[in-house]
Amino acid sequence: MKTQLDPLPMKMKLLLSILILSLIGINSKAQEALFGAQQIISPEIHDDSSVTFRFFAPSAKSIQVTGDFLPTVKIESPMGEMDGPGKAELTKDDKGVWSFTSEALSPELYSYSFIVDGLKTTDPNNPFLTRDVASVTNVFIAGEGQAALYRVKDVPHGTVSRRWYDSPGLGMDRRLTIYTPPGYEQSNEKFPVLYLLHGAGGDEEAWIALGRTAQIMDNLIAQGKAKPMIVVMPNGNVIQDAAPGEGSEGMYKPAFMIPKTMDGTYEGSFKDVIKFVESNYQVKADKADRAIAGLSMGGYHTMHISRYYPNTFDYMGLFSAAIMPREDATNSVYSDIDGTLKTQMDNGYKLYWIAIGKTDFLYDANKEYRAKLDTMGMPYEYVESEGGHIWRNWRVYLTQFVPQLFN
Amino acid sequence: MKTQLDPLPMKMKLLLSILILSLIGINSKAQEALFGAQQIISPEIHDDSSVTFRFFAPSAKSIQVTGDFLPTVKIESPMGEMDGPGKAELTKDDKGVWSFTSEALSPELYSYSFIVDGLKTTDPNNPFLTRDVASVTNVFIAGEGQAALYRVKDVPHGTVSRRWYDSPGLGMDRRLTIYTPPGYEQSNEKFPVLYLLHGAGGDEEAWIALGRTAQIMDNLIAQGKAKPMIVVMPNGNVIQDAAPGEGSEGMYKPAFMIPKTMDGTYEGSFKDVIKFVESNYQVKADKADRAIAGLSMGGYHTMHISRYYPNTFDYMGLFSAAIMPREDATNSVYSDIDGTLKTQMDNGYKLYWIAIGKTDFLYDANKEYRAKLDTMGMPYEYVESEGGHIWRNWRVYLTQFVPQLFN
């Protein structure tokens, strides 16, 4: 019988049921999960920002959850004792559903994995994942406050494009990610540009996925805290044309490739990126409207690019920058670091912003670098945060850096 | 001692090692995998397109791999016996690495999961995953031939953008994915447009991720087999503004929402999508330069949209279309199906293309629909493939449909 709540005729219902089942990648265990257990929600984020993690595994002997929402613990490694993510034990109910509820979490985007009988695995009930180098983990956002900047809010949204540009300096077409602010396409205005660089093991997907750049920019612009701007996220690995899986190398297991990406080639060819952007977008092509920032290796690139092109950027952001000795490097990009830094200083700029966490392994290198800048009399602003070399810090730094630009 | 092959000073090497370790999400098991076992490659695709799957799990009792690269098997379900993906057993070596090597596979993009002691899990050595509704599985591409169309080749690449548009008909800003062909941005030309619609449980990410639309278009255009065109991939779920995790609903477990997406609302508001595209892109805004196609529910939407706007599209593609009875639907979109189909026929078009697999559960519904068109004398072309209601077919259909457009 047809009612208001039941508007579908039987034949259609049958078709729909078959459709649903045929579209789900069914196997016997999935069926078990589908029909034998209740519909599992994981992670379930409660009103107080505590989070319940659940995993259906009647036969498992132990399940843990590990992630950056838990306090770090000391772990042994071949490099000595290090900080590692903590773990928490799940407990099993009589239906075979394991669960663990966290304490109330501070507002943040968190990542986590399960460890089932000793094996790390993703959460089959959470389809939201991010890749960091070769590791894929689930993510969730808890709370408002700072975390509200990472959410898709009901505000005007910019456009995110993956686009290819010609790099004569590297002899290939290369892929980049570009954010244009809300209204860009309808506007005749020209916009300022932030070049935002990833770290070692990252690529043109890192800032947009792990860094939540589009959400941060949409929200800061909507709140009037950031000027509408274009954000360009290039690929800093000079031996690849695009992120793993997105380029002509096909799908392969990503790895670090630091030596090739910190040998001066990227800095030397960075003009290709700027030229592409300034020829293809409505941008203000002057120093006052160019900013460059990056995390870790991207902070290193920011430092070197901005002094190598010493009158190009008015705003620099070094987020947990991998400051490294380059005295014996052969590329001419590094041949006169002190001289070009001094030229950059003499040319003047609006902001040289350095941020690092107190427990970052690059803390001392940054301290030495600041001492060098102090000796030179090169002005900078410095922010010291809690924590180490982690995405949480880099997202926060971005939200702190961007409001200072183009004012 | 410094040599050509060893260009990094010791201090930098140490920094790099710490950097690498600190960036990897280390826990004791990951360490075990990192330091205790060899570096595992999975999947390893051999020259003959056989594939070796590997999984490091010294304590596991049984590991299987399941996916669409294996022959289907009959499985029990509440709906009766159905086809499900096959499974293959991995065997363990003395280092705790399990492996299975497939037969030589025909060229294709495949998806797979492991089943470790009865629990489905992703492959920790393969960071390439796609989400289909709420299920996340690993993917790989084997072979050339048809599969070459799914690879990123060294050819000119179009731009893929995620952009928001205003839909007055649905009362919200909505997200869509748009492919513009290589050279679009530098061109003053106007381009034809293909509107490409997803199935139930899909969204504006489905065709670009699972369907490999950007790679297919780049490759077909480079081969001269397709005209340069814009491909618009909207979101067909009228109750959401964007794909799960990409819209204002935040991250939630995706589910089917067929009734709300097949009630006429989408078809009735589709003019908002066309208007947005034709106001914001360099397009030829005429019937001869508009095509519409979709899979499953998207085939249903294609059928209804193209007859509801009966003089708008010259090319229709119904891929495994969910042809369903709508005689008792209340939305006026469905009030005169036969009449509007006749009007569409009388107005004329270049191509009405229907494709379906022989074992698709919608085969009979499509057969009935073709009989109806035959009775009306409404011309169409028909392609019958092997297989059922699967992405493999929809990618193939796209590669067959696109070369017929805008000639």
Side-chain angles (χ1 to χ4, degrees):
Chain A
M1 202 188 116
K2 212 179 142 205
T3 72
Q4 278 295 89
L5 289 169
D6 192 0
L8 298 171
M10 277 310 292
K11 182 181 172 188
M12 187 165 166
K13 273 199 204 165
L14 183 63
L15 277 174
L16 293 180
S17 302
I18 297 174
L19 180 66
I20 290 168
L21 288 170
S22 74
L23 289 178
I24 297 170
I26 289 189
N27 63 41
S28 58
K29 281 293 158 184
Q31 275 188 74
E32 190 182 336
L34 202 57
F35 308 117
Q38 74 274 47
Q39 180 77 346
I40 293 175
I41 301 295
S42 178
E44 182 182 359
I45 299 158
H46 306 286
D47 288 344
D48 67 350
S49 291
S50 65
V51 178
T52 300
F53 301 87
R54 295 187 178 91
F55 200 103
F56 176 68
S59 311
K61 292 193 183 58
S62 83
I63 302 189
Q64 298 159 308
V65 60
T66 180
D68 56 6
F69 67 94
L70 291 163
T72 58
V73 293
K74 294 291 172 197
I75 57 169
E76 293 301 317
S77 88
M79 312 296 300
E81 203 177 59
M82 294 181 58
D83 279 344
K87 293 179 203 172
E89 298 287 337
L90 280 70
T91 53
K92 186 166 76 162
D93 72 10
D94 57 2
K95 294 194 176 67
V97 176
W98 298 70
S99 65
F100 167 78
T101 298
S102 76
E103 295 182 4
L105 301 179
S106 58
E108 190 44 70
L109 183 153
Y110 294 98
S111 67
Y112 71 101
S113 304
F114 286 116
I115 301 170
V116 180
D117 291 339
L119 287 174
K120 206 170 176 179
T121 184
T122 50
D123 182 348
N125 288 290
N126 179 0
F128 303 104
L129 301 131
T130 55
R131 175 180 65 81
D132 194 0
V133 195
S135 297
V136 174
T137 54
N138 289 98
V139 294
F140 66 93
I141 297 176
E144 292 294 323
Q146 178 73 17
L149 294 172
Y150 310 152
R151 295 182 186 276
V152 180
K153 294 281 187 182
D154 188 14
V155 299
H157 300 292
T159 299
V160 176
S161 300
R162 270 74 169 189
R163 193 162 165 193
W164 293 73
Y165 70 100
D166 177 31
S167 177
L170 298 175
M172 54 175 145
D173 283 353
R174 307 191 77 229
R175 189 172 180 264
L176 52 70
T177 302
I178 189 158
Y179 168 90
T180 50
Y184 169 83
E185 292 90 346
Q186 286 79 32
S187 173
N188 295 319
E189 242 182 280
K190 289 173 186 277
F191 293 83
V193 182
L194 165 62
Y195 295 88
L196 190 58
L197 312 182
H198 62 79
D203 49 57
E204 75 274 19
E205 296 293 321
W207 267 112
I208 205 75
L210 293 154
R212 305 292 287 177
T213 303
Q215 291 75 33
I216 289 170
M217 295 308 303
D218 282 353
N219 289 318
L220 288 177
I221 292 169
Q223 293 171 18
K225 291 182 181 159
K227 292 271 187 302
M229 68 183 78
I230 291 171
V231 184
V232 178
M233 292 153 273
N235 181 317
N237 309 309
V238 293
I239 60 168
Q240 62 181 197
D241 57 354
E246 302 288 348
S248 50
E249 293 297 309
M251 298 179 187
Y252 57 92
K253 192 170 175 177
F256 285 89
M257 48 186 89
I258 295 174
K260 279 300 285 180
T261 54
M262 298 174 84
D263 69 353
T265 315
Y266 187 56
E267 297 93 318
S269 66
F270 198 78
K271 58 183 179 300
D272 295 346
V273 177
I274 299 174
K275 188 182 166 195
F276 167 74
V277 170
E278 298 189 350
S279 315
N280 284 276
Y281 289 84
Q282 299 152 218
V283 299
K284 295 181 186 167
D286 51 48
K287 184 179 176 182
D289 295 289
R290 288 192 205 102
I292 185 165
L295 74 92
S296 192
M297 179 181 83
Y300 168 97
H301 283 147
T302 294
M303 188 272 262
H304 287 296
I305 289 168
S306 67
R307 60 150 192 85
Y308 184 70
Y309 304 96
N311 205 23
T312 304
F313 303 95
D314 249 353
Y315 304 88
M316 276 62 66
L318 281 64
F319 306 169
S320 313
I323 304 292
M324 288 186 185
R326 305 284 14 198
E327 287 80 0
D328 59 351
T330 53
N331 194 305
S332 64
V333 165
Y334 304 123
S335 64
D336 185 18
I337 296 180
D338 289 359
T340 49
L341 268 179
K342 187 170 182 316
T343 307
Q344 181 181 14
M345 172 175 70
D346 292 344
N347 289 333
Y349 47 76
K350 299 250 180 71
L351 179 66
Y352 202 103
W353 195 80
I354 298 174
I356 195 158
K358 284 174 189 163
T359 61
D360 197 309
F361 74 97
L362 291 164
Y363 185 89
D364 287 344
N366 272 257
K367 194 171 169 184
E368 282 174 37
Y369 184 62
R370 283 184 287 115
K372 176 198 188 84
L373 297 182
D374 290 336
T375 305
M376 292 174 60
M378 186 159 168
Y380 60 89
E381 291 186 24
Y382 178 59
V383 168
E384 198 168 284
S385 71
E386 299 302 315
H389 209 70
I390 53 174
W391 268 104
R392 183 196 305 209
N393 275 345
W394 303 325
R395 285 186 294 265
V396 171
Y397 298 161
L398 183 64
T399 67
Q400 294 172 337
F401 182 64
V402 159
Q404 305 181 67
L405 303 180
F406 315 123
N407 292 313
Chain B
M1 203 187 112
K2 210 181 139 201
T3 71
Q4 277 295 90
L5 289 169
D6 193 1
L8 299 172
M10 276 312 290
K11 182 181 172 188
M12 186 163 166
K13 270 197 205 167
L14 182 63
L15 277 174
L16 293 181
S17 302
I18 297 173
L19 180 66
I20 289 168
L21 287 171
S22 74
L23 288 178
I24 296 170
I26 290 190
N27 62 41
S28 58
K29 281 293 159 184
Q31 275 190 75
E32 188 183 337
L34 203 56
F35 307 117
Q38 73 274 46
Q39 179 76 347
I40 293 175
I41 300 295
S42 178
E44 182 182 359
I45 299 158
H46 306 288
D47 288 344
D48 67 349
S49 290
S50 64
V51 178
T52 299
F53 301 87
R54 294 187 179 90
F55 199 103
F56 176 67
S59 311
K61 292 193 182 58
S62 83
I63 302 189
Q64 298 159 309
V65 60
T66 180
D68 56 6
F69 68 93
L70 291 163
T72 57
V73 293
K74 294 291 172 196
I75 57 168
E76 292 300 317
S77 89
M79 313 295 301
E81 203 178 59
M82 293 180 58
D83 279 344
K87 292 180 202 172
E89 297 287 337
L90 279 70
T91 53
K92 186 166 75 163
D93 72 10
D94 56 2
K95 294 195 177 65
V97 176
W98 298 70
S99 66
F100 166 78
T101 299
S102 75
E103 296 183 3
L105 301 179
S106 58
E108 190 45 67
L109 183 153
Y110 295 98
S111 67
Y112 71 101
S113 304
F114 287 117
I115 302 170
V116 181
D117 291 339
L119 287 175
K120 206 169 175 180
T121 184
T122 49
D123 182 348
N125 287 290
N126 179 359
F128 303 104
L129 301 130
T130 56
R131 175 180 64 81
D132 194 359
V133 195
S135 297
V136 174
T137 54
N138 290 98
V139 294
F140 66 91
I141 298 176
E144 293 293 323
Q146 178 72 18
L149 293 172
Y150 309 152
R151 295 182 186 276
V152 180
K153 294 282 187 181
D154 188 13
V155 298
H157 300 293
T159 299
V160 176
S161 300
R162 269 74 169 189
R163 193 162 165 191
W164 293 72
Y165 70 100
D166 177 31
S167 178
L170 298 175
M172 54 176 145
D173 283 353
R174 307 191 78 229
R175 189 172 180 264
L176 52 71
T177 303
I178 189 158
Y179 168 91
T180 49
Y184 170 83
E185 292 91 345
Q186 286 79 32
S187 173
N188 294 319
E189 241 182 281
K190 289 173 185 277
F191 292 84
V193 182
L194 165 61
Y195 296 88
L196 190 57
L197 312 182
H198 62 79
D203 49 57
E204 75 274 19
E205 295 293 322
W207 267 111
I208 205 76
L210 294 154
R212 305 292 288 176
T213 303
Q215 291 75 32
I216 289 170
M217 295 307 304
D218 282 354
N219 289 319
L220 289 177
I221 291 170
Q223 294 171 17
K225 290 182 182 159
K227 292 270 186 304
M229 68 184 79
I230 292 171
V231 183
V232 178
M233 291 153 274
N235 182 317
N237 309 309
V238 293
I239 60 169
Q240 61 182 197
D241 57 353
E246 302 289 348
S248 50
E249 294 296 308
M251 298 179 187
Y252 57 93
K253 192 169 174 177
F256 285 89
M257 49 186 88
I258 296 174
K260 278 300 287 178
T261 54
M262 298 172 84
D263 70 353
T265 314
Y266 187 55
E267 297 93 320
S269 66
F270 198 78
K271 60 182 178 302
D272 294 346
V273 177
I274 299 175
K275 187 182 166 194
F276 167 75
V277 170
E278 298 189 349
S279 316
N280 285 276
Y281 289 85
Q282 299 152 217
V283 299
K284 296 182 185 165
D286 52 48
K287 184 179 176 182
D289 294 289
R290 288 192 206 102
I292 186 165
L295 74 92
S296 193
M297 179 182 83
Y300 167 97
H301 283 147
T302 295
M303 187 271 262
H304 288 295
I305 289 168
S306 67
R307 60 152 191 83
Y308 184 68
Y309 304 96
N311 205 23
T312 304
F313 303 95
D314 248 352
Y315 304 88
M316 275 63 64
L318 281 63
F319 306 170
S320 314
I323 303 292
M324 288 187 184
R326 304 286 12 198
E327 287 80 1
D328 60 350
T330 53
N331 194 305
S332 63
V333 165
Y334 304 123
S335 65
D336 185 18
I337 295 180
D338 290 358
T340 49
L341 267 179
K342 186 168 183 316
T343 305
Q344 182 181 13
M345 172 175 72
D346 293 343
N347 288 332
Y349 48 76
K350 298 250 180 70
L351 179 66
Y352 201 103
W353 196 78
I354 299 173
I356 194 160
K358 284 174 188 162
T359 61
D360 196 309
F361 75 95
L362 291 164
Y363 186 88
D364 287 344
N366 273 255
K367 194 171 169 184
E368 282 172 38
Y369 184 60
R370 284 184 286 113
K372 175 198 188 82
L373 298 182
D374 289 337
T375 305
M376 291 174 59
M378 186 158 169
Y380 61 90
E381 291 186 25
Y382 178 59
V383 168
E384 198 168 285
S385 72
E386 299 302 314
H389 208 71
I390 53 175
W391 268 103
R392 182 196 304 210
N393 276 343
W394 303 324
R395 286 186 292 266
V396 170
Y397 298 161
L398 183 65
T399 66
Q400 294 172 337
F401 181 66
V402 159
Q404 305 181 67
L405 303 180
F406 314 124
N407 291 314

